[in-house]
């Protein structure tokens, strides 16, 4: 009849409410204001939620990333990433962050990146038994620092190789043998094959450049560089050959087979008198006492990257030692 009949009271512990609000606030902050990438991946290994930082790192908008397979976003490294996500779903989070190298497809082209990644398995707190809802993937871009570390390590290794080569060459009685010693030390981690060609007598200052093979690495079985046994016969280099251009310009010349098929790349190498598995070349001039003595050619196979500017700098350092040894060989043994 409109009179109070009692009181209904509903209550909960205040700490539970605060914990819930904090969890929600943390999730919102991670997905909006975090300075690192946050991606929630569903059990099908597809992005379900992406924050702004992660979307920029993936080279796409926040909504365009959702639901797409990772293979459409990454050109390389997707297998390692999907394997890590599957492991977290099955076994739980790893004990420490992992660094993953990936190649991201962006409107500006493919970009090689290193992401320091942490993973968290997501499960429903409302179910009696843990039910996986996906994986939380958090990452930071550490590409610049890792590349700096790699470059510093590479410079230290190359400096050590130059030092070891100089000490080994100093023990050689024959200066020509010392030149091959420098070449052998330079090949470690740098190239698969190498050739030394010397300018034929009478063509140093005038006339078309003709080059004579001095030494070459062994093709097929590994072994030390050997002195070429042909008695001063010119190498059949055509006009515009990188080694000839190198001598004419007195500088380094890089060449490559590009995107040719394996068969065409083999023909490309053989046409230049190089081993058939060569797809990248770097020719560096040999100069001593103000004279051009010839060229040294470094070759890489399909499993290696093309030569870069830093590689040319190292090759020029090696060429300076080789040129000095060859010049000394010509002074001590006129027939060379």
């Amino acid at each position: 009849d409109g009179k109070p009949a009692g009181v209904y009271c509903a209550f909960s512990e205040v700490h539970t409410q605060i914990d819930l609000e904090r969890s929600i606030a943390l999730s919102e902050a991670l997905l909006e204001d975090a300075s690192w990438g946050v991606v929630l991946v569903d059990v099908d290994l597809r992005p379900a939620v992406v924050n702004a930082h992660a979307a920029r790192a993936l080279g796409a908008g926040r909504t365009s990333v959702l639901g797409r397979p990772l293979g459409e976003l990454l050109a390389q490294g997707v297998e390692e990433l999907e394997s890590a996500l599957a492991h977290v779903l099955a076994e739980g989070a790893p004990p420490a962050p992992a660094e993953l190298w990936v190649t991201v497809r962006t409107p500006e082209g493919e970009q090689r990146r290193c992401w320091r990644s942490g993973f968290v398995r997501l499960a429903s707190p409302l179910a009696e038994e843990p039910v996986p809802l996906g994986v939380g993937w958090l990452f930071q871009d550490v590409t610049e620092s890792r590349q700096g570390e790699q470059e510093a390590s590479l410079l230290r290794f190359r400096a050590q190789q130059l030092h070891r080569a100089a000490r080994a060459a100093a023990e050689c009685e024959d200066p020509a043998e010392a030149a091959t010693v420098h070449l052998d030390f330079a090949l470690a981690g740098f190239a698969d094959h190498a050739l030394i060609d010397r300018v034929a007598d009478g063509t140093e200052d005038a006339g078309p450049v003709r080059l004579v093979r001095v030494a070459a690495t062994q093709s097929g079985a590994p072994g030390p560089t050997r002195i070429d046994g042909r008695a001063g016969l010119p190498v059949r280099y055509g006009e515009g050959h990188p080694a000839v251009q190198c001598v004419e310009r007195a500088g380094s010349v890089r060449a490559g087979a590009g995107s040719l098929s394996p068969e065409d790349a083999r023909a490309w190498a053989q046409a230049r008198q190089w081993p058939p598995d060569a797809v990248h070349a770097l020719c560096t001039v040999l100069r001593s006492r103000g004279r051009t003595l010839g060229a040294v050619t470094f070759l890489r196979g399909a499993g290696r990257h093309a030569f870069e500017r830093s590689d040319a700098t190292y090759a020029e350092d090696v060429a300076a030692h080789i040129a000095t040894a060859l010049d000394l060989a010509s002074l001590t043994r006129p027939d060379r």
Side-chain angles (χ1 to χ4, degrees), residues 164-170 172 176-186 225:
R164 293 168 181 165
R167 295 188 61 180
C172 298
E177 182 184 355
T180 64
V181 168
H182 283 289
L183 197 63
D184 288 333
F185 275 92
T225 303

Side-chain angles (χ1 to χ4, degrees), residues 195 213 235-238 240-242 255-256 266-275 281:
L195 312 168
R213 180 65 45 81
V235 187
R236 294 181 294 106
Y237 287 156
H241 190 281
R266 181 180 293 270
W268 174 86
Q270 291 178 338
R272 286 157 179 78
Q273 308 299 315
W274 292 335

Side-chain angles (χ1 to χ4, degrees), residues 3-335:
K3 296 180 180 180
V7 177
Y8 175 81
C9 180
F11 65 91
S12 65
E13 188 177 357
V14 66
H15 296 292
T16 304
Q17 180 70 17
I18 293 175
D19 289 342
L20 176 60
E21 291 178 357
R22 284 175 175 168
S23 298
I24 295 175
L26 176 61
S27 300
E28 292 295 332
L30 288 175
L31 294 173
E32 293 295 337
D33 303 327
S35 59
W36 53 83
V38 180
V39 181
L40 303 185
V41 183
D42 60 22
V43 292
D44 294 329
L45 305 185
R46 300 190 179 203
V49 182
V50 179
N51 74 345
H53 187 97
R56 289 193 298 270
L58 292 169
R62 294 182 65 175
T63 56
S64 62
V65 175
L66 304 182
R68 294 175 59 184
L70 294 173
E72 295 182 3
L73 304 172
L74 305 177
Q76 295 180 357
V78 63
E79 296 84 1
E80 292 79 0
L81 177 57
E82 290 184 341
S83 176
L85 294 171
H87 173 80
V88 174
L89 281 173
E91 304 293 338
E99 293 184 0
L100 302 175
W101 282 94
V102 299
T103 301
V104 185
R105 293 190 175 99
T106 67
E108 294 77 20
E110 296 183 354
Q111 297 181 357
R112 183 77 168 162
R113 313 304 299 171
C114 180
W115 291 338
R116 184 173 177 84
S117 304
F119 303 93
V120 179
R121 182 169 61 177
L122 305 179
S124 173
L126 305 178
E128 295 182 359
E129 297 182 359
V131 177
L133 298 178
V135 177
W137 170 32
L138 295 82
F139 64 90
Q140 284 183 313
D141 194 323
V142 294
T143 306
E144 292 185 3
S145 61
R146 293 299 172 266
Q147 287 179 340
E149 292 174 0
Q150 291 178 354
E151 291 174 0
S153 176
L154 183 60
L155 287 175
R156 287 194 300 269
F157 173 76
R158 289 180 174 177
Q160 291 174 356
Q161 288 297 99
L162 289 173
H163 175 71
R164 293 168 181 165
R167 295 188 61 180
E171 302 300 325
C172 298
E173 295 183 4
D174 185 355
E177 182 184 355
T180 64
V181 168
H182 283 289
L183 197 63
D184 288 333
F185 275 92
L187 283 176
F190 183 69
D192 298 316
H193 304 285
L195 312 168
I196 299 178
D197 298 319
R198 182 154 188 172
V199 176
D201 294 337
T203 63
E204 293 92 339
D205 302 319
V209 175
R210 290 186 301 126
L211 296 175
V212 177
R213 180 65 45 81
V214 175
T217 54
Q218 300 184 30
S219 59
T225 303
R226 57 189 179 187
I227 304 295
D228 196 277
R230 289 173 291 185
L233 297 178
V235 187
R236 294 181 294 106
Y237 287 156
E239 184 179 356
H241 190 281
V244 175
Q245 293 182 19
C246 168
V247 172
E248 292 175 343
R249 301 175 185 177
S252 298
V253 175
R254 287 177 287 175
S259 58
L260 297 177
S261 65
E263 294 76 11
D264 292 339
R266 181 180 293 270
W268 174 86
Q270 291 178 338
R272 286 157 179 78
Q273 308 299 315
W274 292 335
D277 58 340
V279 296
H280 307 295
L282 171 61
C283 299
T284 304
V285 67
L286 298 173
R287 287 185 60 82
S288 177
R289 294 188 296 152
R291 298 180 300 117
T292 298
L293 303 183
V296 55
T297 302
F298 296 98
L299 302 169
R300 289 177 177 175
R304 292 176 179 263
H305 295 293
F307 289 100
E308 300 177 352
R309 186 178 298 274
S310 59
D311 298 323
T313 301
Y314 176 63
E316 290 166 1
D317 290 339
V318 176
H321 291 284
I322 295 176
T324 301
L326 291 180
D327 197 11
L328 180 59
S330 65
L331 294 175
T332 57
R333 302 177 69 174
D335 58 322

